[in-house]
Amino acid sequence: MAGRNHLYIPGPTNVPYSVMSAMQVPMEDHRRPDFPELVRPLLQDLKKVFRTEQGQCFVLPATGTAGWEIAMTNTLSPGDKVLSFRFGQFSHLWIDMAKRLGFNVQYDEIPWGEGISPDRVETLLRADAKHEIKALLICHNETATGVTNNLAEIRKAIDAAGHPALLLVDGVSSIGSLDFRLDEWGIDVGLAGSQKGFMLPAGLVMLAFSPKALKARESAKCPRCFLDVMDHINANKDGFFPYTPSIPLLYGLRKVLDLLLEEGMDNVYARHFRLAEGVRRAAQAWGLDICCRDPKLVSNTVTAIMVPQGFDARDVMHYAYHRYNLSLGAGLSEVLGKLFRIGHLGDLNELSLACPLMGAEMAMLDCGIPVTPGSGIAAAGAYWRETAQPLAKRG
Ligand SMILES: *Cc1c(COP(=O)(O)O)cnc(C)c1O
């Protein structure tokens, strides 16, 4: 098929050309004496994305899923009680892993499309007078439903309950795109994957541990080897890794950190908000609901758009892919066929998002979904024009 595939799933995301070329490197000796000149600034700059000064960052050759395991096994002991909330496929999978690793998981079932109530967190923690709960497992941005939890409020709820549990946060589809502050929000472990907001291929998991999490590691009895951060603490100290790192991904990460920090994290967050708002305006103009029910919790990295009753979102994806070479995100598990998702995180501007809006609209029309042709693009375009930076007159 002529023309390229248009990739608008919430990960892997589009890799900027500058990052692709930064990864075109010959292999090199990862024990060469000047290797630390690459590694040390990488780990330092990563802290600026996690927004931590007190914490310590780690990079492992793995994916977000391993991040869950790293966060739990490095801070907890077998059988420890953990508290979590299931409100989408990713929070579901984390809970599933916690059970399979032998933790005692207490969790609330929340309807998919809703987020975590900080009041409920406070109530559950207050009820745990003996402080049996050792950690909260919180999925910051539920990529399956496009719901972003309010971590600042969740932190306040933990403090209001006076509970000492660790706060472990999955930021796979938020860190590097959405406001995330490890120190300020008292997050003990934050974890991210390379293929979402970090605009890289999959293959790296990045984490930040708070001093409290590092302290917890000392008495955490879970067996761990490949994923033990202690080996990283020891090797990173001298600017090395305990085993062979992926050299191209490290050079890619270097470039990504340069791009993010040059734009400025606050500007990155603002750009994601503005682009996402255009997508939401488009959905509204189509007359379609989004999966997220609380307007305060809408995600700025992914929008899950509900198809009307009587239609199957898989048909929309089918037309989008086979007719227009457009990849949209699927509805997962409980929301299979009920929604499709547009990923809007990473290397994007207004016109890159015009593409999936146009393609999704054409595919919906092909399936007989009664949307007004051009309405989505018109609404998004109007919003993006209204909120565009003022531009000096041509000289
Ligand atoms: C993608 C994703 C994961 C899983 O990450 P992998 O890199 O596929 O292992 C976990 N949590 C969230 C919120 C995600 O979006």
Side-chain angles (χ1 to χ4, degrees):
M1 202 190 283
R4 63 181 181 83
N5 172 254
H6 301 281
L7 183 67
Y8 289 93
I9 62 171
T13 67
N14 294 284
V15 180
Y17 288 116
S18 61
V19 175
M20 273 195 237
S21 27
M23 289 190 293
Q24 297 278 352
V25 290
M27 287 311 106
E28 58 184 58
D29 176 8
H30 60 291
R31 307 214 188 273
R32 67 186 164 87
D34 45 356
F35 195 62
E37 287 167 28
L38 170 66
V39 178
R40 282 211 174 97
L42 211 57
L43 293 171
Q44 273 308 316
D45 288 343
L46 208 46
K47 289 168 71 166
K48 300 176 188 158
V49 177
F50 281 79
R51 313 252 11 197
T52 181
E53 282 172 13
Q54 299 154 19
Q56 185 166 355
C57 283
F58 303 104
V59 178
L60 285 86
T63 74
T65 302
W68 293 332
E69 188 161 338
I70 295 165
M72 294 187 293
T73 60
N74 280 277
T75 58
L76 300 167
S77 297
D80 272 356
K81 186 163 181 181
V82 295
L83 174 63
S84 195
F85 300 85
R86 181 183 183 274
F87 55 103
Q89 183 64 5
F90 295 95
S91 46
H92 160 76
L93 289 171
W94 195 3
I95 288 167
D96 179 57
M97 173 189 277
K99 289 181 186 166
R100 286 157 67 175
L101 289 173
F103 297 107
N104 172 9
V105 194
Q106 173 188 345
Y107 63 98
D108 268 10
E109 290 279 1
I110 299 174
W112 291 29
E114 292 179 19
I116 301 169
S117 150
D119 287 344
R120 177 76 181 147
V121 171
E122 187 178 334
T123 305
L124 291 170
L125 292 180
R126 277 187 192 282
D128 179 40
K130 286 198 244 151
H131 294 169
E132 283 170 355
I133 295 169
K134 298 300 175 213
L136 271 85
L137 316 180
I138 302 289
C139 181
H140 183 200
N141 184 75
E142 177 48 84
T143 320
T145 58
V147 170
T148 309
N149 289 297
N150 188 329
L151 293 174
E153 293 296 318
I154 291 173
R155 176 77 256 167
K156 276 192 209 149
I158 301 171
D159 293 345
H163 200 290
L166 293 162
L167 177 56
L168 312 182
V169 176
D170 170 346
V172 177
S173 60
S174 65
I175 296 170
S177 315
L178 307 183
D179 196 4
F180 183 92
R181 308 178 201 184
L182 193 96
D183 287 1
E184 195 179 322
W185 295 341
I187 295 165
D188 292 301
V189 179
L191 62 107
S194 50
Q195 78 276 24
K196 310 237 168 134
F198 281 87
M199 306 175 280
L200 288 164
L204 294 180
V205 58
M206 289 146 297
L207 304 100
F209 274 55
S210 72
K212 182 175 163 187
L214 290 172
K215 186 89 190 117
R217 204 207 63 85
E218 291 168 15
S219 53
K221 294 199 176 56
C222 283
R224 50 187 184 267
C225 175
F226 180 65
L227 301 180
D228 194 336
V229 297
M230 195 61 216
D231 297 319
H232 287 261
I233 293 172
N234 289 335
N236 289 171
K237 178 163 51 60
D238 302 318
F240 294 99
F241 289 102
Y243 31 70
T244 321
S246 165
I247 303 284
L249 282 173
L250 292 183
Y251 281 104
L253 179 59
R254 177 64 269 161
K255 185 66 194 174
V256 164
L257 292 172
D258 291 343
L259 292 175
L260 289 175
L261 297 174
E262 185 184 83
E263 184 176 358
M265 293 317 296
D266 289 329
N267 295 329
V268 171
Y269 308 149
R271 174 168 56 84
H272 280 79
F273 166 78
R274 184 168 164 271
L275 293 175
E277 183 58 25
V279 174
R280 293 189 283 267
R281 301 274 175 121
Q284 194 180 25
W286 288 327
L288 300 178
D289 287 334
I290 61 172
C291 185
C292 178
R293 313 235 175 96
D294 181 346
K296 290 198 297 297
L297 301 185
V298 288
S299 168
N300 292 329
T301 55
V302 54
T303 298
I305 298 173
M306 312 294 297
V307 296
Q309 285 279 324
F311 292 94
D312 191 322
R314 284 171 289 187
D315 293 328
V316 178
M317 297 182 59
H318 178 81
Y319 278 99
Y321 185 70
H322 292 288
R323 275 202 172 148
Y324 310 117
N325 208 354
L326 166 66
S327 295
L328 296 168
L332 302 171
S333 172
E334 285 184 24
V335 286
L336 181 73
K338 295 184 187 161
L339 59 81
F340 64 87
R341 294 173 298 152
I342 297 178
H344 36 78
L345 69 168
D347 185 37
L348 297 170
N349 62 19
E350 296 88 341
L351 293 190
S352 10
L353 273 179
C355 168
L357 294 182
M358 178 78 173
E361 188 177 289
M362 291 196 295
M364 285 193 285
L365 289 165
D366 293 345
C367 300
I369 297 177
V371 294
T372 306
S375 58
I377 281 287
Y383 174 76
W384 288 331
R385 288 182 54 246
E386 265 164 40
T387 54
Q389 286 294 319
L391 185 63
K393 280 239 159 56
R394 188 164 59 87

